Amino acid sequence: MFFIFFFSNLCYNLVCVNRICVYLQFYYNNKKQEEGVFDLSSQLYTSIDLGSSSIKVIIADVVYEKLNILGVGIVKTTAIKRGNIIDVESASRDIQKAIDIAKSEANKDIRSLYVAVPSIHTHIKKSVAEIKFDTKHDIDGRDIEEVIEEAKILPLPREREVVQVIPDYYRLDDIEHIRKPKGMTAHNTFEVTGNRVFTSKTHLHTIYKSIENLRLDCNETFCTSHALGELLLNDEEKDYGSVIIDIGAGLTTVSYFEDGILQLSQSIELAGEDITRTISDVLNVPTKRAEEIKLTQGHAFYDTASSQIIIEIDNLEPDEEPYTQKELADYIEEVVEEIILRSFDVLRKAGINRVKGNVVLTGGTTQMPGVLELAKDMLRKMNVRIGSPKIIGANSPELSVVVGTLTSSYKIESLFGYQVTEEIATIKNTNSTFENVSSIEEVNISKSRVEPTIASENHIGDNEQEVYYEDEDNEEKDDNEQGLFSKLSKMYNSFFE
């Protein structure tokens, strides 16, 4: 009899202890959520820039119009030459490496990419497409997406394929030049007028193949020139007439904007690698060593280069004097001058004889001291500046294209109605740094340009176990459980401080 009584009391105590453990764990989880341990994130965006010397991948999210860089992956590559993929398998491997680095840093998984297509073999053509309605219809994001898709499938020159359609303005029935058609009512036709950017079909399909080998989807493609304009120019600069000169490793891309839209996108095969070859020839050193000298001691403007900095090399003759930075700058300056002159020659051949707006230099090569000073000396009557992302974690000019692609992807998803805009709880004590996109000139995701919409789907990685959502269906249950363990929480609060 005593044994039965003892056993029943033991079972009862065990049940009580178990219930206490459950409620303490629930309290512990709430404490951790208040301390910012749980990762509350919105829709993920992953962009890729297929550069001539390196592949760059960035994973980010956008919350309340704030761009938050979660992970950056940069991998050197030899699979891309002057913007063209010359080895698909090697390119796929290097893309995978860059993605893995970004995923590891972001602690996220991805299923798709937004791709920046190098501006080679590029042509721009003004196009008009329309869709029709049988009855009165309120325009939403799906209609805008549909009419843009109609523009993509308009007849093309042989062996060409559309990279993107850049909307200029819309027409609803007989009302023209509409900038924001969402929410307006059409009775018959909905029309878009914009610039179609198309490139070599082989070039574009080779990029697709390199990504599809990794079993990833390509959400959208963006012309690098358009991505740079979205990042580095404000509305006034794009309207008045401005040029972006992106000096990369293998290509220099010239982009001209006027009347608020991209008008010209062409590349010249003269860029940072040509500076490296010049240094290699002048100093008689291997290319790898020449690249190191360019990055650490290179200077592009003779007038401000130093004669006190000595270029140390191992192959000097006993009676041979070493080069100084100033002497080497004389050779580097010639190449950079040629890049700028040929960039403006591209504009002149297109009939653009005067740039009324600003000149923005970007790309990895512009990090070299003296590039801005030389450009200002050559273009004395123009406003010249270096453009780079103003975002912590990705604020280098060499990341302008990949960050610009993020900005473009956010805007296009918001336009089509895919962007999440519902309220998300505030995160406390996190280490992530958010930049207000609307307050940054180079990353302008503005309410005046993009209307908030309700998302239809979240693209969340498979390994996001730490994402916490406040479900309305569980609110009543949470309130009841809070009452049951409120007394216990006071007793055991000290265990979790």
Side-chain angles (χ1 to χ4, degrees):
M1 189 71 177
F2 174 80
F3 176 78
I4 294 174
F5 176 79
F6 174 81
F7 182 77
S8 62
N9 275 274
L10 178 61
C11 291
Y12 175 80
N13 289 333
L14 287 174
V15 170
C16 291
V17 170
N18 181 66
R19 179 168 294 181
I20 290 172
C21 291
V22 169
Y23 286 124
L24 287 179
Q25 182 64 40
F26 183 82
Y27 176 73
Y28 175 80
N29 287 340
N30 274 272
K31 287 286 290 183
K32 286 299 183 182
Q33 188 238 328
E34 291 173 1
E35 294 168 2
V37 172
F38 288 94
D39 178 23
L40 281 69
S41 62
S42 68
Q43 202 163 336
L44 287 181
Y45 295 85
T46 304
S47 63
I48 183 169
D49 172 24
L50 302 169
S52 296
S53 68
S54 62
I55 293 171
K56 307 166 192 74
V57 174
I58 292 184
I59 300 174
D61 61 6
V62 177
V63 180
Y64 295 140
E65 300 182 13
K66 297 175 183 179
L67 185 60
N68 178 35
I69 303 298
L70 302 176
V72 179
I74 304 176
V75 171
K76 294 292 184 182
T77 185
T78 58
I80 302 174
K81 185 74 172 177
R82 303 286 189 189
N84 288 298
I85 294 177
I86 58 175
D87 186 337
V88 172
E89 291 185 359
S90 179
S92 294
R93 286 194 297 269
D94 292 339
I95 291 171
Q96 185 64 66
K97 290 177 185 176
I99 289 173
D100 289 343
I101 294 171
K103 284 167 57 177
S104 176
E105 187 175 322
N107 194 27
K108 302 287 185 183
D109 195 14
I110 64 170
R111 302 190 186 108
S112 59
L113 296 167
Y114 290 92
V115 182
V117 178
S119 294
I120 55 176
H121 322 296
T122 300
H123 297 274
I124 298 175
K125 184 177 181 180
K126 198 174 198 69
S127 303
V128 180
E130 69 174 22
I131 58 176
K132 291 185 177 293
F133 306 110
D134 296 330
T135 60
K136 175 182 173 182
H137 184 84
D138 293 334
I139 301 299
D140 59 18
R142 290 170 296 180
D143 300 314
I144 298 173
E145 182 177 14
E146 183 180 348
V147 76
I148 289 176
E149 289 299 321
E150 285 294 321
K152 286 183 180 180
I153 62 176
L154 291 172
L156 286 169
R158 189 178 178 184
E159 297 302 321
R160 296 288 172 182
E161 187 159 330
V162 173
V163 176
Q164 73 174 118
V165 174
I166 308 171
D168 190 5
Y169 56 86
Y170 302 87
R171 181 175 68 85
L172 288 172
D173 299 329
D174 56 351
I175 303 176
E176 298 183 349
H177 299 286
I178 298 170
R179 294 294 180 184
K180 297 185 202 175
K182 193 178 293 185
M184 298 182 70
T185 301
H187 292 81
N188 186 20
T189 59
F190 177 42
E191 180 183 279
V192 63
T193 299
N195 286 352
R196 282 193 303 167
V197 182
F198 47 90
T199 186
S200 162
K201 185 178 292 187
T202 302
H203 172 56
L204 195 57
H205 283 214
T206 304
I207 293 174
Y208 290 153
K209 184 67 175 177
S210 300
I211 294 172
E212 288 168 0
N213 286 345
L214 307 177
R215 297 183 179 180
L216 292 171
D217 294 329
C218 177
N219 283 337
E220 290 280 347
T221 53
F222 296 100
C223 172
T224 56
S225 293
H226 173 77
L228 288 169
E230 291 295 288
L231 179 74
L232 302 177
L233 299 179
N234 59 37
D235 291 345
E236 184 179 351
E237 288 175 313
K238 283 192 282 188
D239 189 59
Y240 195 53
S242 297
V243 62
I244 300 175
I245 302 175
D246 177 19
I247 310 175
L251 289 174
T252 294
T253 302
V254 183
S255 312
Y256 180 73
F257 295 79
E258 192 173 10
D259 296 329
I261 195 169
L262 177 67
Q263 304 286 356
L264 174 72
S265 174
Q266 289 189 25
S267 294
I268 57 177
E269 294 186 355
L270 187 68
E273 290 177 352
D274 299 281
I275 297 175
T276 303
R277 275 190 286 272
T278 298
I279 295 173
S280 177
D281 293 340
V282 170
L283 300 181
N284 193 27
V285 295
T287 303
K288 184 177 180 180
R289 176 60 180 145
E291 181 70 16
E292 293 174 357
I293 292 171
K294 181 182 79 173
L295 296 176
T296 58
Q297 297 174 294
H299 203 289
F301 192 35
Y302 179 84
D303 292 356
T304 56
S306 173
S307 57
Q308 305 300 316
I309 298 177
I310 306 300
I311 310 299
E312 299 290 345
I313 54 177
D314 299 330
N315 57 349
L316 287 176
E317 297 294 333
D319 57 343
E320 188 177 1
E321 290 291 329
Y323 274 85
T324 65
Q325 183 189 67
K326 197 174 190 69
E327 291 170 331
L328 185 61
D330 200 21
Y331 296 95
I332 296 175
E333 185 180 285
E334 289 183 7
V335 182
V336 179
E337 273 185 350
E338 182 68 16
I339 290 172
I340 295 173
L341 289 172
R342 286 179 61 178
S343 297
F344 278 85
D345 190 48
V346 167
L347 297 175
R348 280 190 291 270
K349 287 180 179 178
I352 304 165
N353 297 312
R354 181 188 174 196
V355 177
K356 296 178 289 184
N358 295 332
V359 177
V360 180
L361 305 178
T362 193
T365 302
T366 62
Q367 297 178 97
M368 179 186 293
V371 170
L372 180 60
E373 290 82 356
L374 175 60
K376 286 183 174 180
D377 186 67
M378 294 176 65
L379 309 170
R380 295 182 181 180
K381 294 183 179 180
M382 301 181 187
N383 296 318
V384 185
R385 73 171 191 269
I386 299 292
S388 61
K390 297 294 188 291
I391 302 171
I392 295 175
N395 55 0
S396 168
E398 69 174 334
L399 297 176
S400 291
V401 169
V402 69
V403 175
T405 304
L406 283 176
T407 306
S408 301
S409 64
Y410 171 79
K411 286 187 175 183
I412 199 70
E413 288 212 355
S414 298
L415 182 65
F416 293 163
Y418 299 147
Q419 170 59 26
V420 175
T421 58
E422 69 264 24
E423 185 174 349
I424 299 177
T426 303
I427 306 174
K428 298 181 180 179
N429 302 327
T430 60
N431 294 322
S432 299
T433 303
F434 292 83
E435 288 289 340
N436 191 328
V437 181
S438 62
S439 67
I440 297 173
E441 179 180 337
E442 282 79 1
V443 186
N444 184 18
I445 303 177
S446 172
K447 288 185 179 179
S448 63
R449 296 292 301 275
V450 182
E451 296 181 11
T453 55
I454 299 176
S456 59
E457 178 178 302
N458 283 337
H459 302 287
I460 305 297
D462 294 333
N463 66 338
E464 297 182 32
Q465 287 104 359
E466 293 186 347
V467 179
Y468 175 81
Y469 298 94
E470 292 186 353
D471 194 322
E472 293 181 358
D473 295 337
N474 293 329
E475 287 182 358
E476 184 177 351
K477 178 181 176 182
D478 292 345
D479 291 340
N480 293 335
E481 290 180 332
Q482 179 70 29
L484 289 173
F485 72 91
S486 58
K487 294 182 180 180
L488 289 172
S489 65
K490 294 179 181 179
M491 296 174 57
Y492 295 95
N493 185 60
S494 59
F495 288 103
F496 306 103
E497 294 298 331

